[in-house]
Amino acid sequence: MRATLMYGAGDVRVEQVPDPVIKRPTDALVRITASCVCGSDLWPYTSMKPADGPALMGHEFIGVVEDAGPEVTTLARGDLVVAPFAVSDGTCVFCREGLHTSCTDPQAGFWTNASGQAEAIRVPLADGTLVRLPVEADSALVPSLLTLADVFGTGHHAALTGGVSPRTLVTVIGDGAVGLLAVLAARRLGAERIILMGRHKARTDLGREFGATDVVSARGQEGIEVVRELTGGHGTHVAVEAVGTMPAYRQALGVVRPGGVISRVGIPQYEDAPIGFGSLFLRNIRLAGGPAPVRAYIEELMPDILNGSIEPGKVFDTTISLDAVPVAYQDMAARKSLKVLIKP
């Protein structure tokens, strides 16, 4: 089959690789009908050393079950399914608590060196990981349903762990797909005011459509001062950090009000950050977020997509074939595309 491999920074290729096969009785084989490039894929795209490649790429996909091991009981051949970006068994203590990203099964964990940007994939722990979709593979809802694999669930996680409610003021830092869908999630949870910090007009326009009440294009201290002016000098109850860099974290620290929450869902590209007396402690600021257990949110979020009340799939501004994936990486890294949908 054809699959996407990253050989090093800036070096993405679509090549023939061995077809996936059932290895364990709990596996399923899925023929991929829709997948995408994630903003998190751009971190290795700019930094991977050739010695660490080649690596299969992709962790967000929808597809059709083609085969399953004898212990798979909830899925059948022909089912259309969506896969979260982490494998989980759905039965361990953490899965039962809704924290599927901490599943204790030895086969569980994040998709690494996985062929999500490919023609097919082997899915471990299929009963716990995959969710059946009540639509056909050619449904117009597929782009929005694909966001349940990662970016919409991650935006929801950011809003949820931040404690967004109808009484909260929210700042979202970052106008990538996760940031924009954090806006949508905050609106869905009833946030009173949502300030989006971003400087790409096409993206911030979509952010307004998703529910942002204000857009702040300034960064750093200038941006912090604008947000504080908009909020009576206090800042917002929740600051969603959807980028993952230290400047974005410092910006979140500057816009959150005393007693508020910084909710980080951008993968941190740092280990040390201000958390001491003068930063978090003195102002009773809490730090939340983390890798979203999107499997826990799919059943909750899916109905609003199916009934048309929300359309998170609008973050996909480009659709390509599998062979064009290397160009998709280039365009997303250059900010020419927001998020690219792949139709193998």
Side-chain angles (χ1 to χ4, degrees):
M1 70 172 188
R2 292 175 301 153
T4 301
L5 294 102
M6 186 177 293
Y7 279 79
D11 187 1
V12 173
R13 312 174 197 177
V14 177
E15 297 182 340
Q16 293 287 333
V17 301
D19 290 339
V21 296
I22 297 287
K23 293 183 178 179
R24 296 174 182 264
T26 53
D27 289 349
L29 295 182
V30 174
R31 173 174 54 83
I32 297 172
T33 57
S35 63
C36 54
V37 179
C38 184
S40 64
D41 294 331
L42 300 182
W43 292 119
Y45 184 70
T46 58
S47 62
M48 178 186 275
K49 298 176 181 178
D52 295 329
L56 289 163
M57 299 298 296
H59 57 265
E60 305 158 273
F61 60 90
I62 284 174
V64 176
V65 175
E66 294 291 336
D67 197 6
E71 294 182 15
V72 175
T73 61
T74 63
L75 302 167
R77 187 172 298 175
D79 284 345
L80 187 72
V81 293
V82 62
F85 69 82
V87 172
S88 58
D89 65 13
T91 62
C92 81
V93 60
F94 291 110
C95 288
R96 294 197 303 271
E97 292 175 358
L99 195 62
H100 296 71
T101 48
S102 293
C103 180
T104 60
D105 192 286
Q107 297 181 71
F110 303 110
W111 292 104
T112 55
N113 199 22
S115 58
Q117 296 163 10
E119 292 180 311
I121 189 169
R122 179 181 71 90
V123 179
L125 302 175
D127 280 330
T129 300
L130 298 173
V131 179
R132 186 187 295 108
L133 298 174
V135 300
E136 299 298 322
D138 60 353
S139 169
L141 295 176
V142 162
S144 288
L145 292 168
L146 181 56
T147 67
L148 296 174
D150 187 344
V151 286
F152 186 29
T154 295
H156 177 72
H157 184 64
L160 195 67
T161 58
V164 173
S165 74
R167 297 180 300 278
T168 49
L169 310 179
V170 181
T171 300
V172 175
I173 299 166
D175 58 10
V178 169
L180 295 177
L181 291 176
V183 169
L184 180 61
R187 185 193 70 177
R188 181 179 174 276
L189 293 174
E192 177 182 328
R193 191 173 189 180
I194 305 169
I195 301 168
L196 174 61
M197 302 192 78
R199 52 185 6 181
H200 303 89
K201 188 176 185 303
R203 300 182 180 196
T204 56
D205 284 350
L206 181 56
R208 287 189 184 275
E209 183 179 343
F210 281 164
T213 55
D214 305 88
V215 170
V216 174
S217 60
R219 293 180 178 177
Q221 190 60 38
E222 181 184 357
I224 291 169
E225 291 172 2
V226 173
V227 172
R228 290 194 165 273
E229 288 174 7
L230 290 170
T231 55
H234 301 304
T236 56
H237 300 95
V238 182
V240 173
E241 198 279 89
V243 181
T245 63
M246 181 59 73
Y249 176 79
R250 291 188 179 278
Q251 200 156 285
L253 190 60
V255 302
V256 70
R257 67 192 287 153
V261 181
I262 296 174
S263 185
R264 296 186 306 171
V265 289
I267 300 175
Q269 302 302 300
Y270 54 85
E271 288 297 329
D272 298 318
I275 59 169
F277 184 85
S279 51
L280 301 187
F281 186 85
L282 180 63
R283 295 194 291 150
N284 280 286
I285 294 169
R286 290 161 288 155
L287 187 60
V294 299
R295 178 62 188 85
Y297 305 138
I298 291 176
E299 284 88 354
E300 174 186 352
L301 299 176
M302 190 189 305
D304 285 353
I305 293 174
L306 296 176
N307 67 27
S309 61
I310 57 175
E311 194 175 346
K314 287 185 176 182
V315 295
F316 292 107
D317 57 350
T318 307
T319 301
I320 62 167
S321 67
L322 184 59
D323 290 332
V325 168
V327 176
Y329 274 83
Q330 294 172 12
D331 287 352
M332 284 183 62
R335 302 296 188 268
K336 293 180 180 179
S337 294
L338 168 58
K339 191 168 179 65
V340 177
L341 179 70
I342 304 166
K343 290 293 188 72

